[in-house]
Amino acid sequence: MTRIRGAIGAVAALLVVACGSAPSRADTDSDIVLASAPSLERSGLLDRILPVFTQGTGIHVHVLAEPAGAALAAALHGDVDLVLAHDAEAMADLGGGSERRRVAWNDFVVVGPAADPARLAGWHDAIAAFAKLGRAKASFFACADACGTNELEHRLWRSAGLDPGVRGSSWYRPVAGDPTAVLTAAAAASAYTLVDRATFAAFPDKRDLKVLVEGDPRLIHRFELILPGPRTHPSLKEGSARKLADWFVSSAGQTAIGAFFIDGTQAFHPSTKVPPLLP
């Protein structure tokens, strides 16, 4: 049995010893493991909607929140039954037998202090905004870890003709940790940063940080559900995984995604709703 499944089974076994009940479901088709993009798990979306799926099917979904690269490794090892990621290109190594379904999308925004020394408020061109941040040498906190935010940010700097990290610019400050750690640092320093809208909406200590740049199609990112299939690893629970995939793209699943709000902000949009910013 794989590492993740073994861990789940071990926890359940301890519960049996302690409580005399709660038999492990980790080795049955009623338990599957979903590797999810961290922003989906961090926002609370999956905690909200997966119980709806479980109630209707009896299938329990254990979530492993990992960036695309780690999710790919987990899928190749047979540790997960399906993957929900927004970096579909990084999952290309799953190869033949895998299926992909678009299930949702959201967008990134540039946030910064209310004083906005770089004068970016109301802008909709992310590349022009990054170029202006570089010219102004405005304090910018960046996600130093390998994640989707990091990859998008570096694409935007390159498109703006800048590479502040290589130059070691004093105004450019990489922060180790997830986007929440970056937001914490940016809020404390009244600095700019790039973050996905759901993470920013769920962040409790925004202080004076405001959304300043939004609405650029280049800031849209889509989430795809990927079923590795039995050709990738024979222990995958294809039947139950397919039921979850079917539910995500069904009317019930898409409605559940669209109904999830954080403090009045729609964090994710169902794939059936075309992003208005795209042609």
Side-chain angles (χ1 to χ4, degrees):
M1 188 54 62
T2 59
R3 295 189 301 273
I4 299 298
R5 299 188 198 287
I8 294 170
V11 171
L14 289 174
L15 290 173
V16 171
V17 173
C19 305
S21 59
S24 170
R25 291 187 293 266
D27 294 330
T28 73
D29 282 341
S30 63
D31 278 73
I32 57 176
V33 182
L34 168 69
S36 164
S39 60
L40 289 168
E41 191 274 339
R42 187 169 53 240
S43 69
L45 172 69
L46 297 181
D47 286 340
R48 176 73 60 83
I49 70 174
L50 287 178
V52 178
F53 168 76
T54 298
Q55 184 176 14
T57 63
I59 298 171
H60 295 260
V61 184
H62 304 278
V63 176
L64 176 67
E66 295 283 3
L72 170 61
L76 290 173
H77 280 99
D79 288 340
V80 300
D81 298 293
L82 66 172
V83 178
L84 185 54
H86 66 78
D87 188 1
E89 291 182 5
M91 307 301 296
D93 288 344
L94 284 175
S98 64
E99 298 180 28
R100 297 164 183 257
R101 304 182 189 185
R102 284 183 172 176
V103 300
W105 59 272
N106 80 341
D107 62 336
F108 282 88
V109 293
V110 176
V111 301
D116 190 21
R119 299 293 183 265
L120 297 181
W123 283 35
H124 304 291
D125 186 326
I127 293 175
F130 269 58
K132 192 171 185 182
L133 284 168
R135 290 194 302 270
K137 294 181 170 52
S139 182
F140 186 95
F141 282 75
C143 183
D145 292 358
C147 62
T149 305
N150 177 280
E151 293 167 3
L152 173 60
E153 180 214 316
H154 284 284
R155 285 200 299 270
L156 293 171
W157 286 124
R158 288 194 297 269
S159 297
L162 298 169
D163 196 349
V166 171
R167 293 203 306 267
S169 305
S170 60
W171 54 271
Y172 182 81
R173 305 178 185 182
V175 176
D178 64 18
T180 300
V182 181
L183 274 174
T184 299
S190 292
Y192 295 88
T193 191
L194 177 73
V195 65
D196 70 274
R197 192 182 295 274
T199 297
F200 186 64
F203 183 62
D205 189 20
K206 297 178 179 66
R207 302 194 189 186
D208 72 336
L209 291 185
K210 307 291 184 185
V211 173
L212 301 174
V213 181
E214 61 183 333
D216 187 331
R218 288 165 291 206
L219 298 179
I220 293 287
H221 65 146
R222 298 179 182 272
F223 294 88
E224 288 189 0
L225 194 65
I226 304 168
L227 291 86
R231 289 175 57 184
T232 302
H233 202 283
S235 70
L236 297 178
K237 299 173 183 177
E238 185 181 13
S240 294
R242 188 173 296 280
K243 287 181 181 178
L244 178 57
D246 290 343
W247 182 82
F248 263 111
V249 298
S250 72
S251 176
Q254 292 285 284
T255 298
I257 292 170
F260 180 70
F261 282 71
I262 302 173
D263 291 336
T265 297
Q266 185 168 9
F268 302 94
H269 301 266
S271 62
T272 51
K273 181 181 178 182
V274 177
L277 306 175
L278 297 181

